[in-house]
Amino acid sequence: MSEIRFSNLTWDQVITLHQVLDEVIPIHGRGNFPTLEVKPKDIIHVVKDQLIEQGIIVKDTRLNGSTASYVLASHNGMSYKDLDVIFGIELPSDQEFQLVKDVVLGCLLDFLPKGVKKEKSTLKTMKEAYVQKMVKVCNKHDRWSLISLSNNAGKNVELKFVNSLRRQFEFSVDSFQIVLDPMLDFYSDKSRKLTKELYPVVVAESMYGDFQEAMTHLQHKLISTRKPEEIRGGGLLKYSNLLVHNFKPVCEAEIKTQERYMCSRFFIDFPDVAEQRKKIESYLYNHFIGEEKRKYDYLMTLHGVVNESTVCLLGHERRQTLNMITLMALKVLGEQNILPNTSKVTCFYLPAPYFAAGGGSPTYYVTSGLPPTLFQPYHPLHFHVPNGRL
């Protein structure tokens, strides 16, 4: 039986989509640059029109990832942070990549507040003021670029320009894409208003494959993926995020096997502990704005997965990674001036080398509902617990 990848949005879903596209999102400027007040529907429309005017073929525009999932299941308590928009275009050479960048930066000029002299703002200035990050990927399987516009609340507007992308989802619940062109065409006719009797046919697609299966996973907060070894980073950080947000695996036995692939791919892509820490810190920064109190649980969940499912590292490499995650978790607790329930926290201290008969170095164990974690610091560790001591 063939999979049905597509489904039309209901009236309620179209209204939710309209609310997302019509919401004003501030693009914050660095330094003294003014904030741009941008509606997604406006910037998508302007960028699309300018790309076409510059001779770039635009196949379609799509809402992607967590924002698309929110539109389809907002009644289920779903939320989103980044606004992820995909422009399906042709990028045959580096010239088109540069042209796309210039088009986006040029379009930002149109959103500068009244009274600001646009002629004094160059494309380079706009990039330095409003772009959080730019990515360009060009290899055998993938050809795309990303321009992320800054928002201090973590709701970045992410514009992705895709010629080809082999892997377009991590898990079934974030595999949805909503084709926006019918909505953009509807908006272009100012005489029409959205009503239950008159609204455009909007199509959603699940890149996972079976749309109804993916929707069931989304509605019931279930975890399912395919070939995680194809995902950059293995989907390990996203998987831990789903777990800490109370998503449950569809199949426990299958996910345990997939966890090993997730860990293996993560350590292939980020083999050095410093790289791993940088990636995890970036993930925390981008995905836990407003959810700071969940950072500790997230790190301990990640620790548990790495501890149980890592089979590709040597013993000392595995310990280094686990110790790094533990120290990050302790740092988070320190920043929040809290420690977990002290009945579940145990610290063991072995004497310093000059006290130890057999030599060695100070060793500490910290446990918090997990197997003991060993780390050997260069300096003594001090734990401060409000109203008490460890």
Side-chain angles (χ1 to χ4, degrees):
M1 183 177 176
S2 62
E3 296 174 333
I4 300 177
R5 301 171 62 91
F6 302 91
S7 180
N8 292 344
L9 267 61
T10 65
W11 162 246
D12 289 338
Q13 290 169 336
V14 169
I15 285 297
T16 303
L17 175 60
H18 168 67
Q19 291 168 348
V20 168
L21 296 176
D22 199 48
E23 178 189 10
V24 174
I25 299 177
I27 306 300
H28 296 107
R30 294 184 179 88
N32 295 323
F33 285 90
T35 297
L36 310 182
E37 303 289 340
V38 174
K39 288 186 177 182
K41 67 178 184 181
D42 293 335
I43 193 167
I44 296 168
H45 173 75
V46 171
V47 169
K48 178 184 176 183
D49 281 358
Q50 284 299 310
L51 289 173
I52 294 172
E53 189 172 312
Q54 294 298 321
I56 291 181
I57 297 173
V58 181
K59 304 167 197 170
D60 58 23
T61 56
R62 297 182 174 219
L63 195 63
N64 184 53
S66 62
T67 319
S69 298
Y70 169 79
V71 169
L72 295 172
S74 59
H75 61 281
N76 201 36
M78 297 297 298
S79 62
Y80 69 97
K81 288 186 169 62
D82 292 342
L83 188 89
D84 190 356
V85 179
I86 293 177
F87 293 79
I89 65 175
E90 292 189 5
L91 294 165
S93 69
D94 285 345
Q95 182 180 348
E96 281 73 24
F97 277 99
Q98 182 62 44
L99 190 55
V100 165
K101 183 175 78 170
D102 291 346
V103 163
V104 174
L105 297 176
C107 288
L108 291 181
L109 289 167
D110 296 334
F111 293 94
L112 285 169
K114 291 180 179 179
V116 176
K117 294 182 179 179
K118 299 180 182 179
E119 59 272 11
K120 290 189 176 182
S121 299
T122 65
L123 298 186
K124 182 179 179 182
T125 300
M126 298 303 287
K127 175 188 173 184
E128 293 173 351
Y130 296 107
V131 174
Q132 186 192 53
K133 66 178 177 181
M134 301 183 76
V135 178
K136 176 183 174 182
V137 176
C138 196
N139 58 42
K140 181 180 177 181
H141 300 289
D142 299 324
R143 195 172 183 84
W144 56 272
S145 67
L146 168 73
I147 299 176
S148 178
L149 306 178
S150 302
N151 176 275
N152 293 344
K155 199 178 231 181
N156 297 330
V157 176
E158 306 227 319
L159 307 177
K160 185 178 285 187
F161 302 89
V162 177
N163 183 101
S164 58
L165 183 58
R166 180 173 59 171
R167 179 76 181 215
Q168 298 198 44
F169 73 98
E170 289 186 274
F171 296 86
S172 60
V173 294
D174 63 11
S175 69
F176 298 102
Q177 294 182 0
I178 298 173
V179 181
L180 297 177
D181 301 278
M183 289 292 283
L184 298 178
D185 292 341
F186 192 90
Y187 290 138
S188 65
D189 187 345
K190 303 298 183 183
S191 65
R192 292 194 290 181
K193 291 188 177 181
L194 282 173
T195 66
K196 197 169 185 177
E197 291 72 33
L198 180 63
Y199 64 92
V201 176
V202 181
V203 176
E205 179 180 4
S206 170
M207 311 312 290
Y208 176 77
D210 189 315
F211 187 92
Q212 288 306 321
E213 182 181 352
M215 271 300 294
T216 299
H217 296 167
L218 182 62
Q219 291 165 346
H220 297 281
K221 301 184 78 170
L222 299 174
I223 301 172
S224 180
T225 189
R226 292 172 181 158
K227 298 182 178 179
E229 65 274 13
E230 293 181 350
I231 307 168
R232 176 162 173 79
L236 175 63
L237 302 186
K238 172 74 173 183
Y239 172 65
S240 300
N241 197 354
L242 291 174
L243 289 175
V244 88
H245 283 86
N246 300 316
F247 282 71
K248 305 295 182 185
V250 170
C251 176
E252 288 283 354
E254 183 179 18
I255 207 69
K256 286 302 177 186
T257 300
Q258 290 178 335
E259 281 183 7
R260 297 189 185 101
Y261 287 108
M262 293 180 204
C263 291
S264 295
R265 178 61 195 263
F266 181 81
F267 293 120
I268 289 171
D269 292 332
F270 308 101
D272 181 76
V273 173
E275 291 180 273
Q276 296 161 17
R277 181 174 59 250
K278 184 178 178 181
K279 182 63 179 177
I280 296 169
E281 287 174 344
S282 174
Y283 192 90
L284 288 172
Y285 176 79
N286 289 314
H287 293 85
F288 285 85
I289 292 177
E291 291 188 293
E292 282 75 12
K293 291 184 178 179
R294 275 188 162 167
K295 287 182 178 180
Y296 175 79
D297 290 337
Y298 172 79
L299 289 166
M300 288 294 94
T301 300
L302 175 62
H303 183 287
V305 175
V306 171
N307 186 48
E308 293 175 14
S309 299
T310 299
V311 294
C312 62
L313 298 182
L314 297 174
H316 75 279
E317 293 174 325
R318 182 170 166 276
R319 286 192 296 273
Q320 281 183 328
T321 297
L322 291 172
N323 294 343
M324 176 269 293
I325 297 172
T326 299
L327 289 173
M328 288 183 68
L330 291 173
K331 181 182 177 184
V332 165
L333 293 176
E335 290 170 350
Q336 298 174 4
N337 197 30
I338 59 173
L339 276 175
N341 186 338
T342 53
S343 65
K344 295 183 180 179
V345 176
T346 308
C347 297
F348 302 93
Y349 173 70
L350 299 183
Y354 42 83
F355 289 119
S361 58
T363 304
Y364 300 81
Y365 295 86
V366 178
T367 65
S368 178
L370 290 169
T373 300
L374 166 68
F375 54 99
Q376 295 176 306
Y378 290 104
H379 302 286
L381 283 186
H382 300 280
F383 294 90
H384 171 71
V385 184
N387 303 319
R389 278 186 161 184
L390 283 180

